[in-house]
Amino acid sequence: MLVLVINCGSSSVKYNLIDTSDERNLCKGLVERIGAVTSIVKHEPEGQRHTKSTRTIANHSEALQEIMSYLLDPDNQIIESPSDIKAVGHRVVHGGEMFKDSVLIDDDVTKAIEQAFDLAPLHNPPNLRGIQAAQKNLPDIPHVAVFDTAFHHSLPNKAFLYGIPNRLYRRYKIRKYGFHGTSHYFVSRQYYKETGEKAQDTKVITCHLGNGASIAAVDGGKSVDTSMGFTPLSGLVMGTRSGDIDPSILFYLIEKEELTLANVHALLNRHSGLLGVSGYASDMRDLIEEADNGDRRCQQAIDLFCYKIKQYIGSYIATMNGCDAIIFTAGIGENAPLIRQESLAGMDYLGIEVDEEKNTNAERGTVQKISTDSSKTDVYVIPTNEELVIAIDTAKIAQAADQSPWV
Ligand code: AMP
């Protein structure tokens, strides 16, 4: 089944056209800087020339029109008619407590995504705008929402409750939700597939290290804890996000610097993390390069990043009472041997040994085992594919909807 996967940010639309029958990505692309004078449009058809151009794209609906006209252009030979696309899968960041699984989008689902605006003000509003734009452009096929939070619905109470009055959980649903669920799900499944291990018998720790970063403890195939929380701000130090900090720092700063709520939000989400600590960049490639040139603050940012990863891994080994495999994925996890090495250095007490040569030479874009043969815990690099998870879920739900109006 041909599924169009859509991932909308506030000024961007990312798309993938995936054939779920052979899991092939036929085309992917990105419309960026929507609403600006010059928007950037990239299309990357499989096995054909990639294109990049600029034009004015006023809103998400125009971005969808641009994507459809590219896919339908006879010169590009991707699809012949809009009806070749059988369903659209949408990445939705926050499903709140309501959505434990992917769902067919109807008016009730749209309302529930809207109700979760408060919980993810940066993500859910553009996600919904993308849904509405895609529904306008492709009105006659099923649209499915796939939630970043869904995989973490299996967290037990002790992992998702915060130490605040329970009434606040009941009234406002303040709890840990966790994010990057499709990625943690995908790489853990790839690990079972690759090794033949049975999900129910294994404990794995999945490290999704990209601009946003999170770690999950997956026991018996289910997420039992994860580093992100009520929002994607907590946990690890990230590109521009602070990760965990003592909440009292906020009271202190609000008073000392006379910060507004908006200032605090921007400080922790956009000016902190690797960027804030290094005072130089949020991009790990730049930090590694400058640290190599002797920049002390870039080195401090890298050290802090790896230290937090090590702390989370250690705590999840403790809470799961063991770990069969640690998996690295996403931009940094897949491409930065230095970060993998540093994060796991000095963990021989727990029996974790990275093979330096395998780690350094790990071929990109493929599943690689990078631990020594004597390591008690295996260490893997596994490329993530969140879009494929969304496409497969979407195809399943679209097929079911085709057979029954009650899906
Ligand atoms: P993502 O959000 O998954 O696209 O990951 C983006 C992050 O991956 C950025 O911090 C990039 O610097 C980092 N990244 C990508 N390629 C490399 C590389 N070869 N070495 C180090 N970091 C990389």
Side-chain angles (χ1 to χ4, degrees):
M1 179 186 289
L2 269 198
V3 176
L4 182 64
V5 174
I6 300 285
N7 181 358
C8 281
S10 56
S11 62
S12 67
V13 178
K14 233 170 117 179
Y15 76 92
N16 291 66
L17 183 66
I18 295 175
D19 186 344
T20 56
S21 62
D22 56 3
E23 304 189 352
R24 215 158 46 92
N25 195 86
L26 303 185
C27 187
K28 65 177 180 176
L30 174 67
V31 182
E32 283 177 289
R33 297 167 57 102
I34 294 171
V37 181
T38 33
S39 312
I40 302 169
V41 180
K42 293 181 196 159
H43 296 289
E44 301 185 357
E46 193 60 28
Q48 292 183 59
R49 198 172 57 86
H50 295 182
T51 64
K52 182 177 172 181
S53 57
T54 54
R55 70 201 67 179
T56 305
I57 300 215
N59 52 44
H60 288 76
S61 183
E62 283 186 25
L64 257 299
Q65 275 166 29
E66 156 64 33
I67 293 165
M68 285 309 296
S69 65
Y70 181 84
L71 295 175
L72 286 164
D73 186 334
D75 284 350
N76 301 327
Q77 296 182 1
I78 301 168
I79 51 171
E80 286 172 3
S81 146
S83 63
D84 291 348
I85 300 176
K86 301 296 180 212
V88 184
H90 296 269
R91 178 191 182 205
V92 179
V93 167
H94 215 311
E97 277 211 320
M98 167 98 89
F99 297 109
K100 298 182 171 57
D101 292 298
S102 307
V103 283
L104 190 68
I105 300 172
D106 58 15
D107 288 349
D108 291 342
V109 170
T110 305
K111 259 187 231 137
I113 294 172
E114 229 172 313
Q115 277 159 10
F117 276 12
D118 263 5
L119 299 176
L122 295 181
H123 296 101
N124 273 30
N127 291 162
L128 186 58
R129 240 175 284 145
I131 290 172
Q132 287 161 342
Q135 283 175 328
K136 198 167 135 193
N137 280 277
L138 291 158
D140 301 322
I141 54 175
H143 289 250
V144 172
V146 180
F147 300 94
D148 260 30
T149 43
F151 181 53
H152 301 299
H153 260 280
S154 42
L155 259 58
N157 284 42
K158 64 186 174 193
F160 77 65
L161 285 175
Y162 289 118
I164 56 174
N166 196 264
R167 174 191 287 217
L168 296 176
Y169 165 55
R170 295 198 307 273
R171 187 179 292 174
Y172 299 113
K173 301 288 173 214
I174 295 177
R175 50 161 285 177
K176 177 184 280 194
Y177 290 97
F179 299 87
H180 293 142
T182 46
S183 181
H184 292 294
Y185 171 83
F186 180 79
V187 296
S188 54
R189 267 54 197 174
Q190 287 297 100
Y191 166 76
Y192 308 139
K193 224 192 245 179
E194 183 73 20
T195 59
E197 298 285 351
K198 292 208 169 64
Q200 64 268 27
D201 301 334
T202 52
K203 298 170 185 194
V204 300
I205 294 174
T206 49
C207 307
H208 177 106
L209 310 177
N211 270 323
S214 69
I215 299 197
V218 183
D219 193 349
K222 294 194 169 119
S223 174
V224 291
D225 206 348
T226 188
S227 59
M228 283 178 168
F230 180 58
T231 71
L233 179 58
S234 68
L236 300 173
V237 168
M238 297 172 236
T240 61
R241 288 175 241 166
S242 63
D244 295 336
I245 63 166
D246 179 342
S248 298
I249 295 169
L250 302 185
F251 315 138
Y252 186 82
L253 276 180
I254 287 169
E255 212 169 281
K256 290 280 177 199
E257 298 269 329
E258 296 183 7
L259 298 182
T260 62
L261 281 181
N263 296 149
V264 174
H265 191 275
L267 173 73
L268 297 180
N269 279 287
R270 292 197 276 115
H271 305 295
S272 293
L274 295 171
L275 174 65
V277 176
S278 68
Y280 178 68
S282 63
D283 192 298
M284 188 55 86
R285 281 167 292 204
D286 298 337
L287 293 175
I288 292 173
E289 197 180 318
E290 277 313 288
D292 276 350
N293 292 335
D295 188 297
R296 194 175 49 86
R297 285 176 60 191
C298 289
Q299 187 60 54
Q300 278 173 356
I302 294 172
D303 291 345
L304 177 59
F305 185 77
C306 296
Y307 185 68
K308 294 291 174 195
I309 295 168
K310 189 194 298 277
Q311 280 187 318
Y312 268 101
I313 289 175
S315 79
Y316 290 158
I317 291 176
T319 53
M320 287 198 293
N321 189 22
C323 176
D324 299 295
I326 296 168
I327 299 163
F328 287 94
T329 194
I332 300 172
E334 291 171 35
N335 297 303
L338 173 83
I339 302 300
R340 299 192 295 255
Q341 183 80 44
E342 289 305 307
S343 304
L344 298 182
M347 295 185 92
D348 32 349
Y349 174 78
L350 292 171
I352 301 169
E353 293 171 7
V354 172
D355 184 313
E356 214 175 310
E357 203 184 312
K358 283 187 196 159
N359 181 39
T360 309
N361 300 326
E363 190 192 331
R364 300 204 173 147
T366 57
V367 176
Q368 296 282 325
K369 184 176 169 190
I370 58 163
S371 45
T372 63
D373 291 341
S374 56
S375 184
K376 215 165 112 187
T377 302
D378 290 338
V379 183
Y380 277 85
V381 181
I382 301 183
T384 193
N385 194 343
E386 293 163 276
E387 293 77 17
L388 181 60
V389 175
I390 296 174
I392 290 173
D393 254 19
T394 299
K396 243 188 256 164
I397 290 174
Q399 255 156 13
D402 198 34
Q403 282 160 28
S404 160
W406 296 103
V407 170

